[in-house]
């Protein structure tokens, strides 16, 4: 919901599951940082939070392509989790919303 920050809840959940959690706050120039974080987490089996997706509308197509080509069941560690936070935006890829657990 607007104005809420889920990070404290995510940190608690990660701690309860013994999972490493890395956060990337999206904005100018953070796309490559986010891709690197997702790639490592997908290989190693930890969790990534991409915060403020609404601040990177021009990067959303790149996220969608990466999601579809690299974050597939056969390429990711079973323990990998990707969390996304965003205000409502038309730029958010529908395919990610359709294939995500909400």
């Amino acid at each position: 919901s607007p104005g809420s920050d889920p990070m404290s809840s995510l940190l608690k959940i990660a701690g309860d599951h013994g999972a490493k959690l890395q956060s990337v706050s999206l904005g100018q120039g953070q796309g490559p940082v986010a891709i690197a974080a997702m790639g490592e987490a997908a290989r190693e089996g930890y969790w990534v939070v991409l915060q403020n997706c609404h601040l990177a509308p021009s990067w959303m197509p790149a996220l969608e392509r990466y999601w579809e080509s690299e974050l597939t069941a056969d390429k990711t560690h079973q323990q990998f989790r990707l969390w996304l936070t965003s205000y409502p935006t038309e730029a958010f890829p529908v395919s990610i919303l359709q294939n995500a657990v909400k």
Side-chain angles (χ1 to χ4, degrees):
S1 65
S4 69
D5 181 7
M7 276 309 295
S8 60
S9 296
L10 288 174
L11 287 168
K12 181 179 181 341
I13 293 168
D16 291 348
H17 285 70
K20 177 182 172 183
L21 178 68
Q22 181 178 356
S23 174
V24 178
S25 186
L26 293 178
Q28 183 108 13
Q30 292 302 300
V33 174
I35 294 289
M38 288 186 291
E40 182 178 337
R43 284 189 304 278
E44 302 297 323
Y46 61 88
W47 298 4
V48 171
V49 181
L50 300 183
Q51 294 182 277
N52 304 317
C53 291
H54 60 281
L55 297 179
S58 65
W59 185 71
M60 289 294 102
L63 172 60
E64 183 175 27
R65 285 189 301 276
Y66 190 80
W67 170 283
E68 292 173 349
S69 66
E70 300 301 320
L71 299 181
T72 59
D74 61 325
K75 292 184 179 181
T76 58
H77 191 285
Q78 188 175 5
Q79 298 302 314
F80 169 70
R81 299 293 183 272
L82 175 63
W83 303 85
L84 306 169
T85 70
S86 179
Y87 283 117
T89 176
E90 294 291 322
F92 206 92
V94 173
S95 66
I96 292 176
L97 293 174
Q98 290 173 336
N99 291 298
V101 176
K102 298 161 216 55

